[in-house]
Amino acid sequence: MNVFALLAVALPALGSAVTFAGARDLRHVKFWSVAPIAAALFCSLVVQVAHGTGGVSTSITKLAPAGQYTVWLGTRVSGLSALVGILVTVVALCVQVFSLTYMRHEKRYPTYAALISLFTAAMLLVVYSADLIVLLVGWEIMGACSYFLIGHYWERPDARSGSIKAFLVTKTGDVPFLFGITALGIRTGSFRIDDVLHYVGVNGLPYASFIAVLLLCGVVGKSAQFPLHTWLPDAMAGPTPISALIHAATMVAAGVYVVALLYPVFLLAPGVLTLMAVIAAITMTGSALAAFAQTDIKKVLAYSTVSQLAYMLGGLAVGGRTAAVFHLITHGAFKALLFLAAGVVIHRVGSNELSAMGGLRHRMPIAFRTMTVGLAALVGVPLFSGWFSKEAILGAAWDASGEFAAAGRIVLIGGLLTVGLTAAYATRLWLKMFWGPFPEASPDDHRVEAPQTELVPLIVLAVPAAVLGFVALGGGAFGSWIGNAFGLAVPSSAGADLAPAGPTSAIAFVVTVLGAGLVWNAWRRDPAADPAALLGRWRETALYGFYLDDVQDLIIVQPAKALARLVGFLDTEVVDAYVRGAGIGARGLGGLLRRVQTGNIQLYLTALFAGVIVIAAVFAGQVR
């Protein structure tokens, strides 16, 4: 089992290396971009089947000593890692297959394909790693890959700025995350994940709140949570398939995965869990409002991703670890589907703007049906996957008590508000894309909507988006698959029951109908109008993300620039002034001495004679 986990990491990395090496042969690139990830998917499935509902299986070897500590290279398979590994490889394979034709005219396609494989390998390294230091390596490789992939169209200013922004903002969180990993390893005496969790379970953890806050900073940056979420909408400047990979199975999912992996550390810091709940509530409602106001369909989905990730963080904040992981899995399926379907529509229409769309349900029937499934799952329409997983989180918030009580109330209020807002922006997106008149198109337009390599991934992803939620009806089966917070096996009878029940289901359904109904009514009155007008004077504010970029520019960027100018002034005008002054003084003195070195013998003799007279006069005065 651990051998297959290692192969799942190594195969995409090998594919990336070979793709880079043979970039001139397009057939070579296509094979080595798809085949290794398909093999990695097979390995991930073998890992899941072999693991079953077991505990943790670890296979390691000593990589290098680091002072009194040791860095271990190896794999750690738990129920959590086995399921997330399948998610990563399924989405990555769909993205690579989709890209075969979607990116076929791109001259930089080989580099793009190689980076996707490396990105996948890095995420799988995070998922299967047995050591926190090795996990951190995969974490940072993902950051580098995202920089290059978001900036794929580097000749465009928005792509360049988006890639730089993503790199810098995520690194803002990664720096304290590094300190948190270091402190955790030092305090527990090991960087092995098994050793860390065992130590925490037996002995507790000194300075647990401090360490948890440091780790949370990295999670907030990677998973695009307030206030470090601003990079994700700008990341839409990259190719659409990349958005599917980043938003569904890698990068942003890594932050939530790490919290679920190291959950016992966070359980020792109830104050941090409350802080996590506040961040989640602010993020989910604010991002949903911003999604409702956007005119670019990719930005609608980007803000939607930020909002849904906040659901997962909120579930973790209220003690619903199993529910949060369940939503991570279902969200990966339907969000990858939505981005790839959006890519098909964008290619057909030639624009990202909703104003250029409408009436596409007849011209693009497969994209229409599959995206309808994805939006239904996103909204939480009953019996679709997103309904089960969101209800599980809301149910966990409703039932939260004790140290989770405050966090539960915060997440519940924010979650129910976001349910209505999600229904509103998803309904608006669906209506504006697929209904009403289609601008600048004739009724006899019968072009093929997309090649099969693009449509097949949509159909494949639509299946789990539609039916994966029924796993929740298996009692505690899903909870037994992922194990408890320490990765240990739990019987189905003791696993979390994720089946929707209680008042939250009824309230959420009413709020969903209300949000979707308001948008439908506004659109029905005037199909040419934009239902986002329901936001009134708040629309422009929400469109620009509540001007958080401007706020960050005012309180961080501008002071940093002012400090840089001050340091530059002190360096050039003060420190360098002393250096330049010493040089100028020495040169001036040398100039004075040079003036008396004329080479005139008579002048030298005259000066010598005058000096003798002066010395004699002084000496004679002293004798008297």
Side-chain angles (χ1 to χ4, degrees):
M1 177 171 61
N2 290 91
V3 172
F4 281 97
L6 182 61
L7 286 173
V9 178
L11 286 169
L14 174 64
S16 176
V18 176
T19 302
F20 272 123
R24 294 184 179 181
D25 187 341
L26 193 58
R27 289 177 300 175
H28 172 101
V29 170
K30 288 181 177 181
F31 175 81
W32 284 101
S33 63
V34 174
I37 294 183
L41 172 58
F42 173 77
C43 293
S44 298
L45 291 171
V46 171
V47 169
Q48 173 60 51
V49 172
H51 178 268
T53 58
V56 175
S57 175
T58 303
S59 176
I60 57 173
T61 183
K62 184 180 293 187
L63 178 62
Q68 60 180 320
Y69 305 99
T70 300
V71 178
W72 299 90
L73 182 64
T75 57
R76 177 182 183 272
V77 176
S78 64
L80 173 65
S81 64
L83 283 174
V84 175
I86 293 174
L87 170 66
V88 173
T89 48
V90 167
V91 174
L93 180 59
C94 287
V95 168
Q96 286 282 36
V97 172
F98 186 91
S99 300
L100 290 176
T101 52
Y102 192 87
M103 302 290 291
R104 65 181 181 272
H105 298 304
E106 294 285 337
K107 62 181 180 181
R108 292 191 291 272
Y109 168 70
T111 303
Y112 161 92
L115 285 171
I116 287 182
S117 295
L118 182 59
F119 206 147
T120 305
M123 181 61 187
L124 290 171
L125 184 63
V126 170
V127 170
Y128 289 127
S129 173
D131 188 276
L132 290 174
I133 299 299
V134 179
L135 181 151
L136 187 62
V137 172
W139 182 278
E140 296 302 334
I141 290 174
M142 280 197 294
C145 289
S146 69
Y147 168 78
F148 289 114
L149 288 168
I150 294 169
H152 177 78
Y153 301 116
W154 51 263
E155 62 275 5
R156 287 168 28 191
D158 61 331
R160 293 197 300 270
S161 62
S163 63
I164 293 171
K165 184 177 182 180
F167 187 81
L168 293 178
V169 173
T170 55
K171 290 299 164 284
T172 301
D174 286 354
V175 171
F177 184 77
L178 170 61
F179 291 145
I181 292 291
T182 304
L184 183 60
I186 290 174
R187 283 295 170 186
T188 58
S190 173
F191 288 97
R192 278 186 58 193
I193 295 173
D194 286 337
D195 293 345
V196 168
L197 295 179
H198 180 264
Y199 183 95
V200 170
V202 173
N203 304 305
L205 182 65
Y207 308 108
S209 296
F210 177 66
I211 294 173
V213 166
L214 292 176
L215 295 175
L216 182 60
C217 288
V219 172
V220 165
K222 216 69 165 181
S223 290
Q225 299 295 286
F226 176 85
L228 299 181
H229 67 282
T230 55
W231 68 269
L232 199 59
D234 289 349
M236 295 301 96
T240 302
I242 279 302
S243 302
L245 188 64
I246 292 177
H247 289 241
T250 62
M251 191 78 167
V252 295
V256 176
Y257 173 81
V258 166
V259 176
L261 178 68
L262 301 177
Y263 201 49
V265 176
F266 291 89
L267 290 176
L268 295 176
V272 178
L273 291 177
T274 304
L275 173 62
M276 192 186 299
V278 172
I279 292 173
I282 293 173
T283 305
M284 67 174 68
T285 53
S287 298
L289 280 168
F292 190 32
Q294 300 305 306
T295 60
D296 183 324
I297 62 173
K298 288 179 67 175
K299 286 196 173 183
V300 173
L301 296 177
Y303 276 111
S304 171
T305 299
V306 176
S307 183
Q308 296 304 305
L309 289 166
Y311 266 110
M312 302 171 207
L313 205 64
L316 292 165
V318 301
R321 176 177 177 268
T322 303
V325 173
F326 186 32
H327 194 52
L328 174 66
I329 301 298
T330 60
H331 174 265
F334 67 72
K335 190 50 63 69
L337 167 61
L338 288 172
F339 268 107
L340 294 182
V344 170
V345 174
I346 289 169
H347 252 198
R348 175 70 180 270
V349 176
S351 174
N352 292 18
E353 294 295 319
L354 286 171
S355 58
M357 301 175 189
L360 293 174
R361 66 188 186 280
H362 298 306
R363 294 177 176 83
M364 309 186 70
I366 295 178
F368 167 61
R369 295 188 182 103
T370 55
M371 198 163 188
T372 299
V373 171
L375 289 172
L378 169 63
V379 170
V381 174
L383 302 184
F384 286 86
S385 63
W387 178 66
F388 288 97
S389 56
K390 272 205 246 185
E391 289 302 318
I393 292 174
L394 293 174
W398 178 274
D399 296 332
S401 60
E403 61 185 8
F404 299 113
R409 289 191 291 271
I410 294 169
V411 172
L412 182 62
I413 294 172
L416 289 174
L417 286 173
T418 306
V419 165
L421 291 170
T422 303
Y425 72 70
T427 302
R428 169 180 174 258
L429 185 67
W430 186 64
L431 292 172
K432 295 289 288 181
M433 289 178 67
F434 297 111
W435 298 82
F438 181 63
E440 301 179 3
S442 61
D444 58 348
D445 183 0
H446 298 301
R447 290 178 297 169
V448 176
E449 61 178 311
Q452 291 299 314
T453 51
E454 295 178 26
L455 297 179
V456 169
L458 303 188
I459 298 170
V460 170
L461 290 170
V463 174
V467 304
L468 188 58
F470 286 98
V471 171
L473 301 180
F478 188 82
S480 68
W481 289 350
I482 68 170
N484 65 9
F486 293 92
L488 303 178
V490 294
S492 297
S493 58
D497 188 356
L498 301 177
T504 54
S505 297
I507 297 172
F509 180 75
V510 171
V511 173
T512 299
V513 172
L514 181 61
L518 286 173
V519 172
W520 173 268
N521 186 58
W523 179 84
R524 185 178 58 83
R525 289 199 308 266
D526 184 6
D530 191 341
L534 291 171
L535 292 175
R537 59 191 181 93
W538 288 99
R539 181 181 180 181
E540 184 175 353
T541 303
L543 178 63
Y544 292 103
F546 300 95
Y547 300 105
L548 192 59
D549 280 330
D550 295 330
V551 173
Q552 291 177 345
D553 182 74
L554 180 65
I555 65 176
I556 298 175
V557 178
Q558 294 305 323
K561 288 182 176 180
L563 180 61
R565 287 193 295 268
L566 176 61
V567 171
F569 172 80
L570 294 175
D571 182 52
T572 58
E573 303 301 329
V574 178
V575 177
D576 285 357
Y578 285 107
V579 177
R580 290 194 302 269
I584 292 171
R587 187 170 57 191
L589 181 61
L592 291 175
L593 293 175
R594 183 178 60 79
R595 291 183 179 277
V596 300
Q597 299 297 322
T598 64
N600 191 321
I601 301 300
Q602 291 87 347
L603 180 60
Y604 294 164
L605 292 175
T606 302
L608 178 63
F609 181 69
V612 170
I613 293 176
V614 170
I615 293 171
V618 171
F619 182 75
Q622 291 177 350
V623 171
R624 290 181 183 177

